[in-house]
């Protein structure tokens, strides 16, 4: 889905919307903060004001859909498509990303949905790390 031009997202190129209450999601964000050497990604919680403003205009509800949402150049990506696009943006290994893209979407999304549904089981002993001052600049409220 493409966002309209008047949403004024031109100054925000790549935003990952994630479940801020989920330790697994926070761990994934922390991993992406380390992997994104060129600092191309921005991050926001699914409960942020930024997301609320988008929810009003589009049928975007990361909490209901149990999905991460990735906005890149005014396009919305969900589930496994979001993961693949994120990996491309941060310059992850092109071969690995290409292999993931070859897997049919319904299979990728089934795997994503399984992990999303059971994500709280995976994180019983994970403690959320607060971003340092430099990383805080990459979060949108």
């Amino acid at each position: 889905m493409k966002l309209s031009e008047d949403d004024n997202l031109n100054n925000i190129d790549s935003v990952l919307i994630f479940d801020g209450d989920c330790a697994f999601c926070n761990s994934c964000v922390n991993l992406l903060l380390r992997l994104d050497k060129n600092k191309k990604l921005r991050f926001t919680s699914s409960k942020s004001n930024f997301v609320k403003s988008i929810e009003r205009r589009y049928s975007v509800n990361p909490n209901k859909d149990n999905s991460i949402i990735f906005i890149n150049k005014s396009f919305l990506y969900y589930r496994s498509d979001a993961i693949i696009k994120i990996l491309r943006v941060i310059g992850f290994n092109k071969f690995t990303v290409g292999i993931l893209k070859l897997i049919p979407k319904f299979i990728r999304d089934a795997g994503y949905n399984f992990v999303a549904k059971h994500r709280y089981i995976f994180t019983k002993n994970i403690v959320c790390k607060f971003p340092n001052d430099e990383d805080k600049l990459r979060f949108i409220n």
Side-chain angles (χ1 to χ4, degrees), residues 19 22-29 115-116 119-120 122-123 126 128:
D19 180 355
C22 169
F24 179 77
C25 301
N26 279 287
S27 295
C28 291
V29 167
V115 171
R119 68 185 186 264
Y120 295 106
F122 299 128
T123 57
I126 293 179
C128 294

Side-chain angles (χ1 to χ4, degrees), residues 6 8 15 19 21 36 40 60 91 105 110 117 123 126 137:
D6 58 343
N8 199 19
V15 180
D19 180 355
D21 295 331
D36 184 16
K40 293 182 176 184
V60 173
K105 181 176 171 42
K117 183 177 178 183
T123 57
I126 293 179
L137 299 173

Side-chain angles (χ1 to χ4, degrees), residues 1 13 18 24 33 38 40 47 68 72 81 88 91-92 103 108 114 116 118 121 132:
M1 173 194 296
D13 192 35
F18 67 99
F24 179 77
L33 284 167
N38 294 321
K40 293 182 176 184
K47 294 181 172 84
I68 63 168
N72 181 254
D81 286 339
R88 281 186 177 165
F92 198 75
I103 299 169
R108 286 185 281 129
F114 177 82
H118 298 93
I121 296 170
N132 60 33

Side-chain angles (χ1 to χ4, degrees), residues 13-118:
D13 192 35
S14 299
V15 180
L16 171 61
I17 301 170
F18 67 99
D19 180 355
D21 295 331
C22 169
F24 179 77
C25 301
N26 279 287
S27 295
C28 291
V29 167
N30 289 330
L31 175 63
L32 288 171
L33 284 167
R34 285 193 314 272
L35 292 175
D36 184 16
K37 303 291 185 206
N38 294 321
K39 300 182 181 186
K40 293 182 176 184
L41 299 179
R42 305 276 307 272
F43 304 89
T44 190
S45 166
S46 58
K47 294 181 172 84
S48 70
N49 294 328
F50 175 82
V51 172
K52 288 176 188 170
S53 69
I54 293 176
E55 282 178 325
R56 288 186 208 114
R57 297 193 64 166
Y58 304 96
S59 58
V60 173
N61 187 343
N63 299 312
K64 178 186 127 259
D65 296 335
N66 216 14
S67 174
I68 63 168
I69 298 171
F70 185 56
I71 302 171
N72 181 254
K73 299 184 179 170
S74 298
F75 282 92
L76 293 172
Y77 299 89
Y78 299 89
R79 294 181 179 79
S80 64
D81 286 339
I83 293 169
I84 289 171
K85 189 65 175 180
I86 290 165
L87 293 174
R88 281 186 177 165
V89 167
I90 66 171
F92 198 75
N93 181 291
K94 290 179 182 179
F95 179 76
T96 304
V97 175
I99 294 293
L100 288 173
K101 189 70 177 160
L102 288 175
I103 299 169
K105 181 176 171 42
F106 76 94
I107 295 173
R108 286 185 281 129
D109 281 347
Y112 177 91
N113 291 336
F114 177 82
V115 171
K117 183 177 178 183
H118 298 93

